[in-house]
Structures are given as structure tokens and as C-alpha cells.
Amino acid sequence: GCLADDMGLGKTVQVIALQSMLQAEGADQGTDLLVLPASLVDNWESELTRFAPGLRTLIAHPSRLPSRQLKALPSAEVEAHDVVITTYGTAMRTPWMQEFPWRCVVLDEAQAIKNPGAKQTRAIKKLPARWRLALTGTPVENRLGDLWSIFDFLNPGLLGSAAAFGRLCKSMSRRPDDGYAPLRKLV
């Protein structure tokens, strides 16, 4: 899924509510990974403490754990938490994060993966998860290709290959009346 609301409309609280509900029901066991810019780590920690104090949260970032300890974090330690918070850079550089079977991978400020050829984007798209969620206030900043990259993370193949999507957008741009309506309906 993609929550593409403007800033301040509650994307963070919606995710926390979902995580709390899943924990309370106990129906969908597992650990979620929240990937976000470093500037948002404290905000997410504060919001989780405020709205979901029962969620067991681990901040997997060198600002909280020594690098050596972070790189060798045992699976049992990760599994003992409901939510692991990390940054794009840490997720990209930490091998166990690329291998751990996450219940859900949530990307905050998902426009961080808008460039499909970037090393960071490729690493984030490889994170294994049963399901994925992208949070962004700007699903399309400058190019429709940004939208393609976010949806390629969420549901690979839904919008075709990057080249096919580019051709589709070009053909839609030539349509006289509401040429992008099919794309709006699809996403």
C-alpha cells in the first residue's frame, strides 16, 4: 500500500494504529521494519511511545547501538521486538536486515527510493517482507518515474518495467481529455 497524504495528515499514526491492532489481535506475528531518514528516528520513537507504548521497539542505528553490535545483532533479539526502526543508509549497509524475514517493511519519506538505479533503492527493494507500505507526501515530485519506482517496491510488475511505464506515460500525455485517468485508477 501507499499512503500519499500531505504532511501532517496522520500517516505515522495510521501505521502505528495498524501495528498496534496486529499486535493486539496476535493474528499476524512478526517484526516490522520502519525505514526512514535519520532526521525522523526520534519522531517515530516519540510517536510509538506516545500512541503504542505496548509495542516493543528497537532502534537499529549506529546512533543508538555501537556499529559492531548493530552488525552482529542476533535474530532472536530482532524477533523479540514488534518494530525495528532504522534508516535508509543503515538498511542498505547491514547484511542481516537484507536477510531477515520481515512481516512488513514500511518506508517513510518513500521518495528516497525514487531513483531506481541508485544503490540505496536497489538495496531497499531487496528487503524481504510479507507485505510493504510506502509513506510519502510527494508520490510524484518531478517525474512519473518517481511513482514507478515507489510502486516497483510495493508491487513489482504492477506498472510494468520502467521502460514500458515510460512509453505508457508518453502515450497518455498525448490523450486530449484526462489522459492520465487510467494511471490514476490503477494506483
Side-chain angles (χ1 to χ4, degrees), residues 72-113:
L73 209 57
S75 288
E77 174 72 11
V78 177
E79 290 168 355
H81 292 87
D82 301 304
V83 179
V84 174
I85 298 173
T86 196
T87 62
Y88 285 94
T90 303
M92 179 179 71
R93 293 185 301 271
T94 308
W96 66 262
M97 286 186 191
Q98 298 287 323
E99 299 164 5
F100 188 85
W102 303 105
R103 175 178 61 179
C104 178
V105 172
V106 179
L107 303 184
D108 195 1
E109 301 295 340
Q111 64 273 14
I113 64 162

Side-chain angles (χ1 to χ4, degrees), residues 41-154:
V41 170
D42 290 337
N43 181 64
W44 269 94
E45 180 182 32
S46 171
E47 298 293 285
L48 280 160
T49 301
R50 179 177 175 197
F51 294 110
L55 288 177
R56 297 163 299 166
T57 303
L58 170 68
I59 298 179
H61 188 261
S63 67
R64 304 294 177 91
L65 293 171
S67 292
R68 186 173 292 155
Q69 184 182 349
L70 177 61
K71 290 207 182 283
L73 209 57
S75 288
E77 174 72 11
V78 177
E79 290 168 355
H81 292 87
D82 301 304
V83 179
V84 174
I85 298 173
T86 196
T87 62
Y88 285 94
T90 303
M92 179 179 71
R93 293 185 301 271
T94 308
W96 66 262
M97 286 186 191
Q98 298 287 323
E99 299 164 5
F100 188 85
W102 303 105
R103 175 178 61 179
C104 178
V105 172
V106 179
L107 303 184
D108 195 1
E109 301 295 340
Q111 64 273 14
I113 64 162
K114 68 182 180 181
N115 180 350
K119 184 177 179 183
Q120 174 174 281
T121 301
R122 291 191 316 268
I124 296 301
K125 287 181 178 182
K126 288 180 184 175
L127 291 168
R130 283 184 254 159
W131 54 284
R132 296 169 174 206
L133 186 60
L135 314 179
T136 179
T138 55
V140 180
E141 287 182 342
N142 299 314
R143 304 172 308 123
L144 286 170
D146 300 354
L147 179 73
W148 177 87
S149 189
I150 290 171
F151 272 82
D152 187 55
F153 165 76
L154 294 172

